[in-house]
Amino acid sequence: MTTLTFCPFEDGHIPGALALSRAAQWPHRAEDWALFLSLSQGAVVMDGPDVVATALATPFGRVACANMIIVDAARRGAGLGRRVMETAMAQVNVPEWRLIATADGLPLYRKLGFEVCGEIVQYQGVVTAPASGMALPDRAGPGDLAALAALDAAATGMDRTSLLAALLRVGAVHVLRQGGVITAFAALRAFGRGEVLGPVIARNADEAQALMAPLIAASSGRFLRVDTPVTSGLAPWLVAQGMAHAGGGIQMRRGGGAAAVGPQQVFALAAQAMG
């Protein structure tokens, strides 16, 4: 430990972080790291020129997400994960923290005061259904950002305006409108091996499926990933769309919960890192 250096996570550390995530068999590209880092504060641990541990803390109003916590396999078991995570989290002052854990990470996160509050299941695969010819829902623009953020906050309890602004730049955000008012939205962007569909915010499963079905159909022949809460009830429907279960994660929280204030629900995550 005495040979290691803790540093703020900067753009120049992304290649080393990418090597760590690839070694851990995570699908993230350099562009995915760059997006998350642009929204976050973070820490890296250096052993000479090599990045051997990372952690990000992403503030969304009164809530922050701890994410991208990776330790080089040869360095595990010596408390480095806890130290880099605490270093990143110390840069953000919020009353509530959230993360999505693997089973291996549960003991550490419990020691840091996190409690289990839900479960995420991941579905993915190359979309094999032929394009259906369904019209894509309307596409949102920068002028819709405030409305998107309000719906998102009602469903998540977080102010993710910064994330949604980034998704409008790097991907496509499709919406349903009622009387000219946005009632639901779904984002689609490049990620990992292909594309990720999320976040999806809607009032009910029927509305979520109405948004997602044409986007899935339009992705025919491409690799697509969806991370959905178990409570969404979408799992059987995603299987029917030809997607396969591919693991998931454990939702954890520390601090007071931010209650939802509207009928909107989360049907798919932006990323396990971002909620």
Side-chain angles (χ1 to χ4, degrees):
M1 286 289 189
T2 57
T3 67
L4 303 180
T5 303
F6 285 71
C7 305
F9 199 145
E10 299 177 347
D11 289 343
H13 295 122
I14 288 176
L18 179 62
L20 276 187
S21 60
R22 285 177 172 169
Q25 299 186 347
W26 291 15
H28 300 69
R29 309 165 303 150
E31 295 90 340
D32 303 320
W33 274 101
L35 173 62
F36 297 162
L37 179 58
S38 72
L39 302 170
S40 307
Q41 302 295 319
V44 296
V45 182
M46 306 295 298
D47 185 358
D50 299 323
V51 176
V52 296
T54 65
L56 293 179
T58 310
F60 292 131
R62 65 177 303 281
V63 180
C65 295
N67 59 85
M68 306 306 287
I69 302 156
I70 311 178
V71 177
D72 178 73
R75 297 280 185 173
R76 294 172 191 165
L80 190 57
R82 177 170 186 156
R83 289 182 62 192
V84 71
M85 183 176 174
E86 290 180 327
T87 301
M89 292 173 66
Q91 300 176 65
V92 176
N93 183 21
V94 292
E96 181 181 341
W97 285 90
R98 300 181 190 178
L99 60 80
I100 296 178
T102 62
D104 289 343
L106 275 176
L108 167 61
Y109 304 139
R110 284 186 166 131
K111 288 177 184 176
L112 292 174
F114 286 85
E115 298 180 349
V116 174
C117 61
E119 183 180 355
I120 298 299
V121 285
Q122 180 188 139
Y123 287 83
Q124 64 180 34
V126 176
V127 179
T128 56
S132 66
M134 289 184 289
L136 291 177
D138 288 345
R139 185 164 174 173
D144 295 310
L145 178 59
L148 297 173
L151 288 182
D152 189 77
T156 67
M158 297 187 283
D159 179 0
R160 297 197 297 182
T161 303
S162 59
L163 171 62
L164 294 167
L167 295 180
L168 286 167
R169 292 194 303 271
V170 304
V173 180
H174 294 272
V175 300
L176 296 181
R177 302 179 192 266
Q178 187 172 19
V181 176
I182 296 174
T183 61
F185 71 87
L188 183 68
R189 75 180 194 283
F191 174 82
R193 296 169 59 188
E195 295 174 313
V196 62
L197 179 53
V200 177
I201 305 295
R203 293 174 294 186
N204 52 60
D206 288 342
E207 194 171 55
Q209 291 171 18
L211 265 172
M212 297 170 73
L215 297 175
I216 293 173
S219 298
S220 180
R222 301 198 297 272
F223 187 90
L224 185 65
R225 169 174 171 167
V226 177
D227 294 276
T228 184
V230 167
T231 53
S232 75
L234 284 188
W237 181 79
L238 290 169
V239 171
Q241 308 310 301
M243 305 186 75
H245 180 231
I250 303 157
Q251 292 174 294
M252 303 191 79
R253 175 178 289 172
R254 187 178 83 181
V261 296
Q264 283 74 24
Q265 304 173 52
V266 177
F267 286 91
L269 277 59
Q272 291 197 18
M274 301 283 108

